[in-house]
Structures are given as structure tokens and as C-alpha cells.
Amino acid sequence: MTTLDNNQQQRMADKIAQIDRLCARARIMPVITIMREEDILPLADALAAGGLTVLEITLRSVHGLTAIRRLREERPELCVGAGTVLDRQMLAAAEEAGAQFIVTPGSTAELLQAGLESDVPMLPGTSSASDIMLGYALGYRRFKLFPAEVCGGTAALKALGGPFNGVRFCPTGGVNPDNLQRYMAQPNVMCVGGTWMFDSEWVKNGDWARIQQCSAKALELLA
């Protein structure tokens, strides 16, 4: 079993605190895949105008790193992280682009170790108790539950709360306005991730006002 020294323990505690602060700010974190570079700023502006200012930009498209870099430079008031980080190389590229946090869809020993060494806080993905235990051994206490609905949704979160006291989650995958409140009512949920507030057709058509309105309505559900 890996044993963290005092310095590593303190660094991990600091990064957990950072994750807690950004999730408290976010409440709902848009998970964004940029398909056209011209959408980067207007989409971010529409989401922010609706109250969503913590953005996860996935690396699923060739525009992901560009989006992170531009938003960090041109919209410094936003908190911008990298999602769909799959390995050490992608983590390094996201750091270089200026990502303020890292989100992964799953956990590997290599990626968890890279996150431990990084100065940027990481939210590792999990879909099982075994995944959590891999991260737990390295000091991780905050995870992304993905795909949340497929993994059991709120029932899974209730079950995981027993053996993993002190662990909290950001469920992503299948979260929508119909189940949002149920997720956020779970004591081990700190925020949720989703895409429903910016339908791909709205982005394609430049319907920024609709995205702003949907973002604001999403937060109203948590009022």
C-alpha cells in the first residue's frame, strides 16, 4: 500500500480544499465539448450570464486545449478545467494550456500518480468501489461518479456513503432537470456535471439567449 509522506499529505489536503471551493462555486458544472473554435467565447459567455462560471472543457475534440487556453486568457473571471483526461500526456498538455482543475472519466494507477505529483487538483473518475479504493490509497477523497445514472444513480451514492465516509462526488452522465434535485440532496454530492443546458443544436444555431435562460433555470432548481 502507498503511504504518503507529510508533504504529500499536505499537498493533497490543499488540493481537496481547492476542489471543494470550486464545486461550491459551481453547483452545476457544464461539461463542454467544443466542435467549432468560433463557439468558445459566446458559449462560455452565455453559460456565465446564466450563472454557470465553472466550466469543464473536455479534450474530446481538437479544440479542447485551444478553448482552455483562450478562456484562461480572455475570460480570466471564469474557472476553467480540463475533462476527459486519459493519461499523463493529456494531463501535462492540459496543465500547459492553463487548466485550473483536471477531471478524468476513470482511474488508472498511472493517472492517479500523475495527479498526485501535479500542482493542479484532480477529480478522478470512478464507477465502482474498487476505483475509489485505488484513489483513496493515494489520498484522494473527491471523485467524479461516471456515468452516474448507469452506475446506479442516487442509490449507488447512498450505498457508497457507508464504506467511504468523508468521500464526496460530482455525478456526471445522465444528470438532468428531472433528477438534479435528487442528486444534490445526497450528503456525499458536492456538485453535478451535465450538458442539458446547452443542447448541441442550440450551440450550432448560435442560440445563446436560450442557453443563458436554460442555465439560469437549472440553478433556480437548487434555490
Side-chain angles (χ1 to χ4, degrees):
M1 177 180 290
T2 301
T3 301
L4 303 185
D5 62 32
N6 290 338
N7 182 56
Q8 290 173 318
Q9 290 177 18
Q10 185 57 56
R11 289 186 68 203
M12 182 57 79
D14 291 343
K15 286 189 279 190
I16 290 171
Q18 291 179 56
I19 291 286
D20 286 346
R21 286 193 294 271
L22 74 87
C23 286
R25 171 180 169 180
R27 304 182 74 196
I28 300 172
M29 190 185 302
V31 181
I32 304 164
T33 300
I34 297 292
M35 303 310 296
R36 303 180 303 192
E37 187 171 350
E38 59 264 33
D39 295 331
I40 295 170
L41 294 182
L43 175 55
D45 289 342
L47 293 166
L52 303 180
T53 61
V54 179
L55 311 179
E56 176 189 334
I57 307 296
T58 78
L59 303 188
R60 299 179 192 177
S61 82
V62 296
H63 303 295
L65 292 173
T66 300
I68 293 168
R69 192 173 291 111
R70 288 194 62 187
L71 289 171
R72 293 288 286 122
E73 293 173 353
E74 301 179 53
R75 297 294 186 271
E77 69 278 9
L78 301 179
C79 183
V80 181
T84 321
V85 174
L86 304 179
D87 55 36
R88 187 181 287 270
Q89 291 71 35
M90 293 177 76
L91 173 58
E95 287 180 304
E96 191 278 329
Q100 292 164 283
F101 61 95
I102 302 294
V103 185
T104 75
S107 296
T108 65
E110 179 192 32
L111 193 50
L112 290 169
Q113 183 63 40
L116 184 64
E117 297 165 2
S118 172
D119 291 329
V120 181
M122 188 168 83
L123 200 60
T126 178
S127 61
S128 69
S130 295
D131 289 344
I132 297 171
M133 290 173 69
L134 281 174
Y136 198 95
L138 290 174
Y140 290 93
R141 299 294 184 271
R142 304 292 182 262
F143 296 87
K144 167 182 175 174
L145 182 67
F146 177 81
E149 280 290 279
V150 174
C151 292
T154 56
L157 287 161
K158 290 175 183 177
L160 291 169
F164 299 110
N165 183 33
V167 170
R168 301 184 72 198
F169 300 91
C170 172
T172 303
V175 181
N176 58 57
D178 294 330
N179 58 27
L180 171 63
Q181 291 171 318
R182 292 198 299 275
Y183 273 103
M184 289 298 291
Q186 303 308 310
N188 56 352
V189 169
M190 50 189 174
C191 68
V192 301
T195 61
W196 75 88
M197 70 292 293
F198 58 100
D199 185 273
S200 59
E201 284 300 307
W202 305 348
V203 176
K204 182 179 179 180
N205 296 329
D207 197 348
W208 312 122
R210 188 172 185 180
I211 292 171
Q212 176 182 341
Q213 182 183 45
C214 194
S215 299
K217 286 184 176 179
L219 286 176
E220 287 174 7
L221 292 172
L222 303 181

